[in-house]
């Protein structure tokens, strides 16, 4: 589930995109409905667990995973296990600041990167930039679901507006991931979600902008890679976490 999830207590404390979903005992509800043991965790935690155990960061102990889609979700694996923090909030990278005078985030936090690189903001920014360049884009077509794909197609065809935007997006991510790298010194940063499907349009300028801001020791050993499992990562990670939780409980 997205939002703040208490893995140990199996509660969803806050489902950020569904109002009123507060402190729901989801594990018990699932078990009662299905007659089976259940486990519940944050969807981005599941994604990074999948990539660290079986995917793009397989065999690495310390991994940061990010999903770039409707919003920006994140998860952290340290020492081979998910790090959830003291109150289930660790890894919420989408709430990190890239501009202290910027757009307010979901919690009123200024400059939250999710307000710049979620699908909806990408659509809004793209339409604004094209308008400034004297080019009309239909908002019905360039909506949150389509804009990242259309912008990637435009950049691949050589559109200067789209190319400049992908470079700017990479700069925002580089600022955020640079801070993450200095804080955690991970083996890998794995990026998934629909926006990551832009491939080298995003990853090349991201690496070019971020890696030089790190010490040689950090950057020589840091991988910045696309997720292997794409949209299946959350499902695979949930299954892997279920197995892990069952073994831990002795079931």
């Amino acid at each position: 589930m997205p939002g703040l999830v208490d893995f140990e207590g199996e509660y969803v404390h806050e489902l950020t995109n569904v109002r009123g979903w507060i402190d729901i005992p989801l594990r018990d509800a699932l078990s009662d409905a299905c007659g089976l043991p259940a486990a519940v965790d944050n969807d981005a935690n599941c994604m990074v667990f999948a990539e660290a155990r079986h995917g793009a960061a397989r065999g690495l102990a310390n991994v940061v995973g990010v999903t770039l889609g409707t919003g920006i979700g994140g998860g952290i694996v340290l020492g081979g296990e998910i790090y959830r923090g003291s109150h289930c909030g660790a890894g919420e990278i989408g709430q990190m600041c890239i501009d202290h005078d910027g757009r307010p985030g979901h919690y009123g936090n200024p400059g939250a990167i999710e307000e710049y690189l979620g699908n909806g903001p990408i659509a809004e920014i793209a339409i604004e930039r094209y308008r400034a360049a004297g080019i009309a884009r239909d908002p019905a077509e360039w909506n949150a679901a389509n804009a990242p794909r259309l912008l990637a197609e435009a950049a691949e065809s050589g559109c200067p507006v789209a190319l400049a935007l992908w470079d700017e997006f990479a700069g925002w991510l580089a600022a955020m991931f640079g801070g993450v790298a200095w804080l955690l010194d991970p083996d890998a940063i794995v990026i998934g979600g629909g926006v990551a499907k832009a491939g080298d349009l995003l990853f090349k300028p991201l690496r070019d902008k971020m890696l030089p801001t790190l010490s040689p020791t950090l950057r020589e050993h840091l991988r910045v890679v696309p997720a292997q499992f794409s949209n299946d990562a959350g499902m695979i990670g949930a299954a892997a976490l279920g197995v892990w939780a069952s073994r831990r409980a002795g079931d």
Side-chain angles (χ1 to χ4, degrees):
M1 303 288 288
L4 299 179
V5 180
D6 182 347
F7 181 78
E8 298 295 338
E10 305 291 358
Y11 274 75
V12 178
H13 286 307
E14 180 182 355
L15 186 57
T16 51
N17 49 353
V18 179
R19 290 185 179 181
W21 191 302
I22 304 293
D23 293 336
I24 302 297
L26 186 59
R27 179 193 63 180
D28 291 344
L30 288 172
S31 291
D32 291 345
C34 301
L36 296 168
V40 180
D41 206 347
N42 174 271
D43 57 346
N45 284 351
C46 292
M47 172 266 187
V48 68
F49 196 69
E51 296 293 343
R53 285 294 178 97
H54 306 290
R58 184 173 183 175
L60 300 179
N62 304 308
V63 181
V64 174
V66 177
T67 58
L68 304 178
T70 303
I72 296 181
I76 302 168
V77 167
L78 296 179
E81 295 190 4
I82 292 175
Y83 176 70
R84 298 182 175 84
S86 298
H87 306 96
C88 315
E92 290 293 343
I93 290 172
Q95 302 309 319
M96 291 181 64
C97 174
I98 59 168
D99 179 1
H100 70 278
D101 288 324
R103 303 178 177 192
H106 178 78
Y107 300 94
N109 44 324
I113 192 169
E114 188 173 73
E115 302 304 317
Y116 297 81
L117 279 177
N119 288 349
I122 285 176
E124 295 172 8
I125 292 169
I127 290 171
E128 290 171 3
R129 296 296 173 83
Y130 274 112
R131 184 183 298 120
I135 302 170
R137 293 296 188 212
D138 181 1
E141 180 184 11
W142 283 68
N143 56 34
N146 295 330
R149 174 182 56 81
L150 293 173
L151 200 60
E153 291 173 355
E156 287 168 353
S157 69
C159 171
V161 174
L163 286 167
L165 273 174
W166 283 111
D167 189 69
E168 189 169 357
F169 296 161
W172 295 338
L173 287 173
M176 180 190 73
F177 283 134
V180 169
W182 278 112
L183 179 66
L184 297 175
D185 184 17
D187 297 304
I189 294 172
V190 180
I191 306 174
V195 178
K197 292 179 179 179
D200 283 346
L201 288 170
L202 179 66
F203 281 90
K204 186 180 185 305
L206 169 57
R207 295 186 185 104
D208 290 345
K209 292 172 184 291
M210 183 188 77
L211 294 178
T213 70
L214 306 177
S215 74
T217 301
L218 267 64
R219 66 171 173 258
E220 286 170 11
H221 300 284
L222 176 61
R223 304 183 194 177
V224 182
V225 294
Q228 178 178 325
F229 296 126
S230 187
N231 291 335
D232 292 334
M235 179 173 60
I236 293 168
L241 274 169
V243 171
W244 178 84
S246 179
R247 287 175 177 170
R248 188 181 65 166
D251 295 339

